[in-house]
Amino acid sequence: MKRPVLAGVLALGLLPTTLLAAAKKVDPVPELDRLAETARVQWSVPGLAVVVVRDGRVLLAKGYGVRELGNSMTLTEANRVNADTLFAAGSTTKAMAVTTVGMLVDEKKLGWDDPVRKYIPELQFADATLSDSLTVRDLLTHHTGLPETDYLWYSNGLSWPGILARLKGVGPTAPLRSRFEYQNVMYGVVGDLVGRIAGMPWPEFLRHRVFQPLGMTSAVALGEEAAKSSNHATPHSREDGALVTGETLGLVDPIPAAGSVWLSANDEAKWLRFLLDPTAVKDANGEPLLAPATVEEIFRPQVVIQPGAFYPTAEKTQPKWTTYGFGWFQQDYRGRRIDFHTGSIDGMIAIVGLVRDEHFGVAVFANLDHAELRHALMLSAFDLFLEGNLSRDWNHDLRTMYDGLRSKGDADRAAFEAKRVPNAPPAHALAAYAGTYSEPLYGDIHFTLDAGKLSARVNRILIGQASPWHYETFRVAWQRKLDGVSWANFHTNDEGQVNAVEIDGHSYARQASAN
């Protein structure tokens, strides 16, 4: 369901003379501070937060721009992003989930290679062998062989028990442990597992065992809690060139360990200090929050990420290897090993990057959907603080690359739509297509006829107009531009009645009328 997204305005990149001058040693803090604001403007990002920690010292924890965009990007004190403004951590939450698992491993309440059904006996997939064989390690490394199943939680109103029950209809698309396949719902299973062993919900465990000892006083474990704060960033997305607000802060709350945390730059600074020196912080008994052996296991490369499954930025960074630890992507960069992870929730982005051998960490948060300045600022921070200069304009290079990907996507869609058969109307009146269509795993799609127009609704967010395209194919343009377009292909039975629809590759059977 995640969309390619890339928006941008005309590049205002650094002049070549600036980069030539940058070969000399520079003071990294003011230079990154300047780059952050420059990138924010160039990528049209309303609000931004940047954090840098090295050798246990917080070198930068600062907000830029506005929490919510009004009629312009005017900055006011009431709307200013500061170091206490909450941003979505997104999937950088997964590292926090891994930390909570590691705590239970240290307490010998759990093992990395324990079968998951030892703790969640009702966990069941379409493949019985997978149900019995899946381990905690498999969950943490996206090594299950299961396809992406975000439709189970994305705004469909299902609670976690409902999501868990539907997994029995999900089958693997690859053998267990044969390939890397990013899987948010399996981190939902991680949170459930931790909660059952700890005797409290995962968000409560996270607050008690991580946030409190680290002094992360503003951090919240759920988006619904962030919504109650008077100082949180508002999500933004781009629609027809304009930035709009209106996304939901609690989208990931049904699977919290996958990405529900919101935190400030000041909170993130404390989290980075912990990640770079996990044994420095002690619990109430005077013990480190994580044992050294556990830390090493978390960051040990666990699986090789196959070509095509890594970030598009690899085109520019040219890593010789790409792996995944427990909740961390990994690659080589300028002779160093980096551990990093992004977070993407509708209208919000994050990235956290570590060079553990040099006790260096950087984090970037912003309130614009898939604003890839996050990669540019992370790589620039690595260069400035670890190389001492900025010999490459990452902001320009990555904006050019992502704009190219966007243009290619636009061209591919145009080529597809050019294949439309003209003057080929549907076989039935629009009323014949109205109704509810169901699929046991994916749920319901509702088609409604109103004022001569057919609309489609998948869940509380995916709502759009379904227009005849050609024959029995309809083009569904979702109201939110970031959701793109879907194609609905209707089918009829032997009696010529519309009885099924296929949309986005999934088939739904029409329910009998209540009348």
Side-chain angles (χ1 to χ4, degrees), residues 245-269:
T245 62
E247 315 306 340
T248 304
L249 270 62
L251 280 174
V252 198
D253 289 359
I255 52 170
S260 67
V261 166
W262 284 64
L263 76 173
S264 69
N266 284 331
D267 292 319
E268 179 66 26

Side-chain angles (χ1 to χ4, degrees), residues 160-303:
W160 173 248
I163 295 171
L164 186 62
R166 284 201 187 181
L167 287 175
K168 64 184 178 183
V170 178
T173 54
L176 177 65
R177 306 181 193 113
S178 65
R179 60 182 286 112
F180 178 88
E181 189 73 42
Y182 198 79
Q183 237 294 344
N184 281 309
V185 175
M186 292 304 100
Y187 264 80
V189 175
V190 170
D192 186 4
L193 181 149
V194 170
R196 294 187 189 213
I197 296 174
M200 66 182 73
W202 182 80
E204 184 178 343
F205 186 79
L206 180 69
R207 285 189 290 264
H208 179 64
R209 296 291 299 275
V210 177
F211 291 169
Q212 291 178 11
L214 296 183
M216 298 169 66
T217 54
S218 298
V220 294
L222 296 170
E224 66 178 17
E225 297 172 351
K228 300 173 185 177
S229 169
S230 61
N231 189 10
H232 69 77
T234 297
H236 297 74
S237 59
R238 187 175 295 280
E239 295 197 1
D240 296 328
L243 297 186
V244 299
T245 62
E247 315 306 340
T248 304
L249 270 62
L251 280 174
V252 198
D253 289 359
I255 52 170
S260 67
V261 166
W262 284 64
L263 76 173
S264 69
N266 284 331
D267 292 319
E268 179 66 26
K270 295 169 184 175
W271 173 241
L272 284 176
R273 291 173 66 183
F274 166 72
L275 291 171
L276 295 169
D277 190 3
T279 61
V281 181
K282 304 296 193 294
D283 62 20
N285 298 318
E287 297 294 328
L289 294 192
L290 286 175
T294 300
V295 174
E296 292 310 308
E297 186 66 15
I298 287 172
F299 285 102
R300 185 172 67 84
Q302 301 284 334
V303 301

Side-chain angles (χ1 to χ4, degrees), residues 5-28:
V5 261
L6 312 167
V9 294
L10 182 65
L12 302 172
L14 294 172
L15 295 173
T17 52
T18 304
L19 290 180
L20 289 174
K24 298 184 295 184
K25 295 291 183 180
V26 297
D27 188 342

Side-chain angles (χ1 to χ4, degrees), residues 410-421 469-470 473 485 487:
D410 291 343
D412 290 345
R413 283 189 291 274
F416 175 81
E417 295 191 2
K419 297 177 182 179
R420 181 182 189 180
V421 179
W469 186 250
H470 59 208
T473 298
V485 172
W487 301 91

Side-chain angles (χ1 to χ4, degrees), residues 28-29 32-33 36 49-62 64 265-266 268-270 272-273 276 353 359-365 377-378 380-382 384-386:
V29 174
L32 184 63
D33 182 38
V50 179
V51 184
V52 174
V53 170
R54 189 174 194 183
D55 295 325
R57 296 187 301 122
V58 180
L59 303 183
L60 184 66
K62 184 176 178 180
Y64 305 80
N266 284 331
E268 179 66 26
K270 295 169 184 175
L272 284 176
R273 291 173 66 183
L276 295 169
H359 308 288
F360 180 83
V362 57
V364 178
F365 303 92
L377 289 175
M378 179 184 75
S380 296
F382 289 155
L384 284 168
F385 286 87
L386 304 181

Side-chain angles (χ1 to χ4, degrees), residues 31-114:
E31 185 67 7
L32 184 63
D33 182 38
R34 181 189 66 81
L35 282 174
E37 178 60 17
T38 298
R40 185 188 72 81
V41 174
Q42 290 176 350
W43 292 77
S44 296
V45 170
L48 178 71
V50 179
V51 184
V52 174
V53 170
R54 189 174 194 183
D55 295 325
R57 296 187 301 122
V58 180
L59 303 183
L60 184 66
K62 184 176 178 180
Y64 305 80
V66 296
R67 292 186 286 112
E68 181 172 351
L69 196 61
N71 296 326
S72 68
M73 300 208 35
T74 301
L75 184 66
T76 66
E77 285 302 320
N79 197 26
R80 183 188 296 271
V81 173
N82 58 42
D84 291 316
T85 300
L86 297 181
F87 282 85
S91 284
T92 68
T93 297
K94 289 180 172 65
M96 299 179 186
V98 168
T99 296
T100 61
V101 173
M103 290 173 170
L104 297 179
V105 170
D106 286 347
E107 295 169 4
K108 303 192 183 307
K109 296 178 179 178
L110 177 68
W112 300 117
D113 296 302
D114 284 354

Side-chain angles (χ1 to χ4, degrees), residues 108-192:
K108 303 192 183 307
K109 296 178 179 178
L110 177 68
W112 300 117
D113 296 302
D114 284 354
V116 180
R117 290 189 71 182
K118 176 180 178 181
Y119 308 98
I120 310 178
E122 67 270 36
L123 179 67
Q124 184 179 345
F125 303 99
D127 183 286
T129 301
L130 176 62
S131 304
D132 293 334
S133 304
L134 195 69
T135 67
V136 177
R137 188 182 302 271
D138 299 325
L139 297 178
L140 299 176
T141 56
H142 307 284
H143 223 198
T144 64
L146 293 168
E148 175 266 314
T149 51
D150 286 347
Y151 52 83
L152 290 175
W153 61 267
Y154 187 80
S155 301
N156 60 14
L158 284 178
S159 63
W160 173 248
I163 295 171
L164 186 62
R166 284 201 187 181
L167 287 175
K168 64 184 178 183
V170 178
T173 54
L176 177 65
R177 306 181 193 113
S178 65
R179 60 182 286 112
F180 178 88
E181 189 73 42
Y182 198 79
Q183 237 294 344
N184 281 309
V185 175
M186 292 304 100
Y187 264 80
V189 175
V190 170
D192 186 4

